[in-house]
Amino acid sequence: MKYDVIIIGGGLSGLMAGIKLVKRGFSVAILSAGQSALHFYSGSFGLLGKIDGHEVTEPLQVIDNLPHNHPYRRIGIDAIPFLAEDAKMLLAEAGLTFTGNHLKNHYRLTPFGTCEPTWLTLTDYASCVHPKKMGWKKATIVNFKGYRDFFPNFLQDGIKANGLQCDIAEIDVPEVTHMIKDFSETRATSIAKIFKGKTLDTLAACINRAAGKSDVVFMPAVVGLESEQPIRQLKDMVIPSLMCVPTLPLSVCGYRSQICLRRYFEKLGGVFFLGDKVTKGFFQDYRLKEIETANLEDIHLRADHFILSTGSFFSQGLVSTPECIYEPTLNADVLQTQTRIDWCSKNILEPQRFMEFGVDTDENFRIKISGHAIENVYAAGSVLGGANPVQEGSGGGIAILTALHVAHSISRFAHIIQRIDQFNKE
């Protein structure tokens, strides 16, 4: 089977690149091995929240302070605003609406009541302009009776520390209470499946009774599994302002984002291979010609361009052994220190060096194998080296912006080839 572009990895980065390329008229296939880090998503995408432990207010003003091999430096400061606006538009087209912009960070409310600087936050999730200017007078935190994947006491302590009066109320929605009693583990994604129709009406009534005179209610994010419609309906029925706060994974917003992006990609004409992975790549003259996969056996997939977006250690886009860290799909070169003792710090709170490790590329994000750039294979997302997304609060931004940057590079290259072909014909 032949495609214009094959993307290896079906998480945030792979889906964003796929959507952009399909919209540009390319035939695109995505191979997804299974669960991606998107399922653990907190409701916000960070562009650049911190540098050297200091909070960043205006990300674009400090990108030049990042190391030269950082993905943002290689994208280029002039390209980032265009890519950031493009990203917000594509996400909205897929059914995911956000607050925030790339010029100035806002703050998202974490499950522990702290506020972290970020770029984009889903509109149903709690966020504010500044922790000391949250915009409310009195809050109520509601939790379901017996639900243990949400921590209202921690949340209350953090909110009160920022000067907002806050109470806690436990609500009893019979369908949820019954589910929690019958299952030893009840995740947010399981609860979200029941909130529709009359159950949603019951939930709204419970929240309104518990809210009292509060002007905002914070609740665990357990509504809107496959689209934003249920949470919008709930917000319309609840009298105070209603804001969701992340729970323990699997996250409802992560599942929703994955579903919406994949659904939009396939609606545009993209092909999504779920539960398959690359077992071998066939190279010729520093080009990847085709790939073999576990499920398709003797049927090889061919493409003019490939994108490697398999993620970092969590999704096994990178694998660590006692001797080295390697990229298992195409055996691409990996940026890493030579000695294992330099991989991490004994102090768990300090920046961990291994988080900066990742695939080595040229200036155009083309992967290297044995030091040679592979002409038609690009890398995007957290598989890239040069950044510490946990310390920087930059994981979502790197995934999205590198994906769109690579998609634009492929589009430009194809356009140049097309013009050359037309010139030769003339």
Side-chain angles (χ1 to χ4, degrees), residues 301-338:
L301 299 178
R302 294 177 291 119
D304 297 320
H305 305 277
F306 295 82
I307 300 175
L308 183 69
S309 61
T310 47
S312 188
F313 298 98
F314 171 79
S315 55
Q316 296 187 332
L318 298 173
V319 176
S320 173
T321 71
E323 292 77 27
C324 70
I325 292 170
Y326 68 96
E327 188 282 306
T329 304
L330 299 175
N331 197 30
D333 296 348
V334 174
L335 290 169
Q336 59 186 294
T337 58
Q338 293 299 313

Side-chain angles (χ1 to χ4, degrees), residues 74 76 84 152 168 179 209 236 253 268 285 331 337 350 410 415:
R74 286 186 282 163
I168 297 175
M179 177 182 288
R209 285 195 297 269
D236 288 341
C253 63
L268 291 170
D285 299 327
N331 197 30
T337 58
E350 291 182 357
I410 291 173
H415 180 65

